[in-house]
Amino acid sequence: MGDPAAEPASLQELWASQLTPDDRNPYAAVVPGRGWYGKQAAYWKDIEASVDGVLGGDGFLDEPDIVASRAFLTSLQTPTPDSVACDCGAGIGRVCKGLLKPLYRTVDLVEPDAHFLAVARSELSPHRGTFFLSTLQHWAPPANYYDCIWVQWVLNYLHDEHLEAFLRRCSTALKPHGFIVLKENVSGTDSFILDTDDTSVTRSLAQFHASFEAAGLAVVREEQQTTFPDSILPVWFFALQPR
C-alpha cells in the first residue's frame, strides 16, 4: 500500500501525476510495465491463476462472496431461459462459475490477462458464451444485449474518464430492465486509497456516486456486504440502470 502522506490530495491530482498520454487514450495498447495500465499488466501476469491468486491470497473469501452475491442478484431479477449476462474482469471465471453460469443461459467473459482467460476456458468447459481477451477501457459491448453486466473488483484499475466511458457503454448494452451490478471495495472514508503494489485506487462512496452521475446512471439499490471479516476494506454492491 502506498504511503498515505505521499498520496495526492484528490483524484484529479492523482491522475495528473500518474497517467501517461497512452493511459488517457482508450485505443492505445497496454505495454507491460509502462504507465498506469502497464504496471497493472506487469503485476497480474505474475499472479497464480487460482482462486487464492485472484483473491490476493484470501481464497477463503470465495464462498461468502458468492453466497452474498447470489442473494443480491436474485433479489434484482429472475433470469429467463434466454437471459444473457457478462462477467467483466472475469479472471479465471470464478464469479461466472459460482454465480452467473448457474443462473444465465449465456455468459460472456471479459478479461485482459491471457493466462487467466485460458484457465477460465478450461474451468468452464463446456460453456455457452464468448471469451473476450480485452481490457475494460477497450471493450465495446453489443447494444441492447445483456440482462446483467456484473463487474467485480476491477473498477479500481480504471481512471475516472475511462471508468465513466465504460459505464456509458455498458448502459447502452443493457436490455430494457437490465442491470449493471458493481461489487467493489470502498475506502470507508471521504477520500481514496492508492495501492502502489498493483497500481489501483479504492474510491469513496461519494466518488463512486459522482462517476455514476457522470455516466448517466441511477443507483437502484446499494448495500454493503456484511459477511466479510472486518480486516478487509468495506465491499459494496451497486445496482445501476440508465436514468
Side-chain angles (χ1 to χ4, degrees):
M1 197 72 70
D3 175 8
E7 292 177 5
S10 68
L11 284 173
Q12 290 76 15
E13 289 184 16
L14 173 67
W15 306 135
S17 67
Q18 294 285 327
L19 301 184
T20 67
D22 279 351
D23 288 326
R24 297 181 182 278
N25 180 358
Y27 305 104
V30 174
V31 179
R34 184 185 302 172
W36 178 261
Y37 292 128
K39 292 174 185 176
Q40 297 167 4
Y43 173 87
W44 283 104
K45 75 178 180 62
D46 293 329
I47 298 298
E48 179 183 274
S50 66
V51 170
D52 204 51
V54 298
L55 291 180
D58 293 334
F60 66 91
L61 296 177
D62 178 57
E63 182 177 358
D65 171 60
I66 295 297
V67 169
S69 294
R70 185 181 300 114
F72 186 83
L73 181 55
T74 55
S75 74
L76 292 172
Q77 63 181 201
T78 302
T80 70
D82 295 323
S83 292
V84 182
C86 187
D87 182 1
C88 290
I92 61 170
R94 181 189 69 87
V95 170
C96 180
K97 183 177 183 179
L99 174 67
L100 300 175
K101 189 169 181 175
L103 295 174
Y104 295 87
R105 182 170 183 252
T106 301
V107 183
D108 293 345
L109 290 85
V110 184
E111 169 55 42
D113 191 289
H115 86 293
F116 285 170
L117 201 63
V119 172
R121 287 179 185 273
S122 175
E123 287 289 318
L124 296 171
S125 181
H127 182 72
R128 185 183 180 96
T130 301
F131 294 84
F132 292 99
L133 180 62
S134 175
T135 66
L136 298 191
Q137 67 268 24
H138 290 119
W139 185 56
N144 191 34
Y145 185 68
Y146 294 110
D147 297 278
C148 174
I149 299 176
W150 187 274
V151 188
Q152 180 168 347
W153 284 331
V154 66
L155 295 183
N156 53 326
Y157 296 107
L158 295 181
H159 64 74
D160 289 349
E161 185 178 344
H162 284 176
L163 166 60
E164 291 155 15
F166 166 73
L167 291 175
R168 284 191 288 271
R169 293 195 302 274
C170 288
S171 179
T172 65
L174 292 177
K175 294 178 184 176
H177 312 298
F179 291 92
I180 303 166
V181 181
L182 312 182
K183 188 174 186 179
E184 295 290 341
N185 289 347
V186 173
S187 67
T189 70
D190 292 334
S191 188
F192 62 90
I193 301 170
L194 173 64
D195 190 324
T196 55
D197 292 334
D198 66 354
T199 315
S200 66
V201 61
T202 301
R203 294 171 171 87
S204 68
L205 276 175
Q207 288 164 341
F208 270 116
H209 287 159
S211 287
F212 302 157
E213 178 74 23
L217 293 166
V219 180
V220 177
R221 183 179 304 171
E222 65 179 22
E223 64 183 52
Q224 183 177 352
Q225 177 159 341
T226 58
T227 55
F228 281 152
D230 293 338
S231 57
I232 71 169
L233 287 168
V235 177
W236 282 70
F237 295 96
F238 306 95
L240 310 176
Q241 289 183 317
R243 289 188 179 279

